[in-house]
Structures are given as structure tokens and as C-alpha cells.
Amino acid sequence: AQTVTQSQPEMSVQEAETVTLSCTYDTSESDYYLFWYKQPPSRQMILVIRQEAYKQQNATENRFSVNFQKAAKSFSLKISDSQLGDAAMYFCAYRRSGGSQGNLIFGKGTKLSVKP
Amino acid sequence: KAGVTQTPRYLIKTRGQQVTLSCSPISGHRSVSWYQQTPGQGLQFLFEYFSETQRNKGNFPGRFSGRQFSNSRSEMNVSTLELGDSALYLCASSLVFGQVYEQYFGPGTRLTVT
């Protein structure tokens, strides 16, 4: 069974600084998708960034980028120029390719605090 | 375009009762998934519906069930509520089944069982 591990329950960053959130996963499949979701205090889950396992190039979305290391099964999220609005729970998620797209497997989450 | 809506937003029930939660997907989205979020277990997949058929089911007891209507709206039902069912229930919709499209989550229904 696939598992997703986020080893940092909490992280803190100074406003305008850069922070990296870690995620590792375990799977025997070669084709899959990885996601980072943000859940602010409002509890609305928002997709931050997505990475297809078959793509070697790391995904980027504005201030958010990932470091995808397929062999190491690592998928970290880097937030540059952190803003107060980035404070939230961040969840790393895995989904296998094909079949169901609903079956996301989530990590336990990392609570990010942003200090002014 | 309106987002995913879930009703009710908050619910308090007592043990032994049953509850029905509703989810309206984004217009045009045909796949609906449900997740349970608790502090202890985190986010866990419940089930996914597409074209009124359950396509996948997570590891939850039979007390948890769901259905999808022809307009893609979905309901989930929990019978014989237990204290451990207290959780945030999230619904997510996506365009189709079997392809990689982002899931869009609703705000959730906070269920408290006393």
C-alpha cells in the first residue's frame, strides 16, 4: 500500500523568507501524481501544485516550487518570499495513475506559521 | 463559476443517530469524492462516485454509505453514529473519472457526535 510521510508537524518562517516542507512517499508504481494542498484556518482545501511522476522537470507555480526526487521518493515544497497568507496546514498527497482519481492518499500535514 | 458546496456546514448528533451530508459539485463536474478528516487519522478517503456509480471505496465500515444523483450531486450517510465519527467531512469534485484533473474541495461539514 502506498504511504505518504510528512516528518515536520510544524514549521515556522519569517515573512519574505524561504521555507521548504518535506514529504516522502512509498509506492511500487512507476506512474503516479503528487500534490501539495493548502488548508487555511477556513478549512477550505486548496491545490497548490501538482507533479506528474513521468516528468523530470520540477513543477513551479509562482512562489511555490517542488523538488521532486523520484528515485529517493521525495517531494518537497519550497515557498519563496513567504507571506502572512501562506500560514496554513500543508498536505502532501499521492494518487496513482489511471483508474480512480478520487483516491488521494494524504500525509499527516505540516502546520506552517509565518512571522511578521 | 460557483465552487463546491456542502450542506450543512455544522451538525451535532447523538450516538446511535444517523446523518446525511450533501455535496453539490462544480457545474459540469461529474466525479465526486468524499474524505474524512480527524486529528488522529488525518485525511482518509471514503468513496468516489461517477455517473451515479460508486467507483472506489476506502476502508470504512458499512455504516458509511453514499450515492450520486443524475445531476452529479452526492450525499453520504452515516448510520448508527459513534463518537469516533466526529470529524470534518470534505467533498471534492473533478471533471471526469480516470483522468488527471485537479480535485476541487468544498468547505466541509463539521460533524460532532455527542
Side-chain angles (χ1 to χ4, degrees):
Chain A
Q2 295 88 4
T3 59
V4 177
T5 302
Q6 293 179 249
S7 58
Q8 308 151 315
E10 295 188 29
M11 292 281 285
S12 180
V13 64
Q14 205 72 35
E15 195 176 7
E17 298 292 306
T18 296
V19 65
T20 299
L21 308 184
S22 301
C23 172
T24 58
Y25 57 95
D26 188 26
T27 183
S28 58
E29 301 183 9
S30 60
D31 198 13
Y32 49 86
Y33 303 91
L34 297 165
F35 307 84
W36 278 98
Y37 279 90
K38 170 186 177 181
Q39 189 178 42
S42 68
R43 304 306 249 174
Q44 183 89 41
M45 195 80 81
I46 302 164
L47 177 67
V48 175
I49 200 164
R50 180 184 81 186
Q51 174 79 42
E52 290 86 346
Y54 63 85
K55 289 186 178 179
Q56 293 186 340
Q57 187 173 8
N58 290 324
T60 62
E61 285 289 343
N62 301 312
R63 298 182 295 108
F64 299 88
S65 62
V66 298
N67 184 4
F68 173 50
Q69 301 289 329
K70 190 172 184 179
K73 295 180 182 176
S74 171
F75 183 61
S76 61
L77 174 70
K78 185 171 83 172
I79 306 174
S80 304
D81 186 26
S82 295
Q83 300 175 0
L84 295 177
D86 295 333
M89 283 290 291
Y90 285 82
F91 293 94
C92 178
Y94 166 101
R95 189 191 77 77
R96 65 180 177 86
S97 176
S100 167
Q101 65 172 319
N103 193 2
L104 287 167
I105 299 171
F106 287 91
K108 293 291 189 183
T110 296
K111 184 178 181 180
L112 178 66
S113 301
V114 181
K115 298 179 180 178
Chain B
K1 186 182 280 189
V4 178
T5 58
Q6 291 187 245
T7 56
R9 292 293 309 278
Y10 302 91
L11 205 50
I12 300 175
K13 292 286 189 178
T14 57
R15 278 179 297 176
Q17 287 186 315
Q18 75 166 15
V19 67
T20 299
L21 312 182
S22 180
C23 171
S24 293
I26 292 172
S27 177
H29 284 197
R30 297 171 58 195
S31 180
V32 174
S33 299
W34 289 89
Y35 295 85
Q36 181 197 63
Q37 185 176 21
T38 61
Q41 298 299 317
L43 281 149
Q44 293 184 288
F45 171 72
L46 279 158
F47 27 64
E48 179 186 19
Y49 286 88
F50 179 75
S51 292
E52 302 176 61
T53 302
Q54 187 180 92
R55 302 291 176 156
N56 283 289
K57 189 177 191 303
N59 189 25
F60 278 82
R63 300 185 297 107
F64 291 81
S65 63
R67 60 177 175 169
Q68 187 181 35
F69 302 94
S70 58
N71 61 359
S72 296
R73 189 177 71 84
S74 177
E75 289 182 346
M76 67 163 282
N77 183 78
V78 187
S79 63
T80 319
L81 284 165
E82 300 177 359
L83 295 178
D85 297 333
S86 294
L88 180 70
Y89 289 89
L90 293 168
C91 163
S93 78
S94 52
L95 197 58
V96 296
F97 173 82
Q99 296 179 10
V100 181
Y101 287 92
E102 288 84 356
Q103 287 197 309
Y104 296 87
F105 283 81
T109 293
R110 170 73 67 185
L111 172 64
T112 301
V113 182
T114 62

